[in-house]
Amino acid sequence: MAERQLSILDVHKGTGISRSTLTNLVNGRTPSAVTLDKLCLFFHVTPADFYVYSPYELTFTTSETHMDGEYKLFTNVLHYQDETLISTDFFIRTIDDAHNVVEFSNSETLLDLFNKIDIIFHNEIKQRISSEIERIIMVNHNIKENNSGNLEVVYRMPWYESYSKHYSY
């Protein structure tokens, strides 16, 4: 879908596969044989084309620096037997109680790695980085499990166009 710039709705209309099933597949679930067959017919591919191997295993962690609003994103990269740690700075600017902007700097090394990884993994990486940042924002805003409200975060990542994400808590 990402390679062909198709949405879940596009594939749903073209295959008849339910949107919830397609969402589950996008989030990593394994398709049934019938679903896989429909997808292969729709995309004009073989089942082998759906299974992409990535020789990279990525782990993301964050830590606060000595400057207010500045953090480091550490990306541990395991590539076969080689292990590398990439450090990227990002800043969280709080606009008001419900709006934050996250901007990345010195991210050329991470951008280079990102460009080596198959496009099928890009959305997962974006989600994993966003989850790490969301955790920090929730702590910064003192948001607890039983609170309720909305939060908007604008992400400015060099490997994606800027995008907004709305969180309900």
Side-chain angles (χ1 to χ4, degrees):
M1 287 172 38
E3 288 174 358
R4 297 173 190 204
Q5 297 179 344
L6 295 173
S7 69
I8 287 175
L9 185 58
D10 295 328
V11 178
H12 163 69
K13 287 179 180 178
T15 63
I17 299 169
S18 75
R19 290 185 291 180
S20 62
T21 297
L22 291 168
T23 299
N24 288 337
L25 295 176
V26 167
N27 291 322
R29 279 211 140 153
T30 303
S32 69
V34 171
T35 300
L36 182 59
D37 189 47
K38 287 179 183 180
L39 290 170
C40 287
L41 290 171
F42 178 75
F43 287 113
H44 304 284
V45 297
T46 68
D49 295 321
F50 277 97
Y51 299 98
V52 178
Y53 169 72
S54 175
Y56 298 95
E57 184 178 321
L58 306 177
T59 308
F60 300 99
T61 55
T62 55
S63 72
E64 194 167 359
T65 67
H66 62 280
M67 290 178 52
D68 190 37
E70 181 184 44
Y71 298 84
K72 291 215 177 272
L73 173 71
F74 295 103
T75 307
N76 189 56
V77 182
L78 183 59
H79 179 65
Y80 298 113
Q81 301 300 319
D82 298 325
E83 195 164 2
T84 308
L85 185 65
I86 299 171
S87 175
T88 307
D89 296 333
F90 67 94
F91 299 85
I92 300 175
R93 280 191 301 120
T94 301
I95 308 301
D96 57 39
D97 287 343
H99 298 88
N100 292 270
V101 176
V102 177
E103 296 184 76
F104 287 77
S105 62
N106 78 321
S107 55
E108 296 80 18
T109 308
L110 186 56
L111 181 59
D112 290 342
L113 172 66
F114 196 80
N115 288 330
K116 291 177 187 175
I117 294 175
D118 194 281
I119 191 170
I120 199 166
F121 299 107
H122 288 191
N123 196 39
E124 177 189 350
I125 293 168
K126 179 177 82 171
Q127 288 175 343
R128 289 174 55 201
I129 292 171
S130 298
S131 293
E132 274 294 308
I133 293 168
E134 175 187 356
R135 184 183 57 74
I136 292 170
I137 290 172
M138 296 299 184
V139 169
N140 288 352
H141 285 277
N142 199 27
I143 297 172
K144 306 233 185 301
E145 245 180 78
N146 297 329
N147 289 13
S148 64
N150 292 300
L151 187 65
E152 178 184 22
V153 180
V154 175
Y155 290 91
R156 294 191 177 135
M157 298 177 172
W159 47 91
Y160 282 104
E161 291 183 24
S162 291
Y163 70 97
S164 294
K165 192 167 179 184
H166 298 271
Y167 299 96
S168 294
Y169 56 90

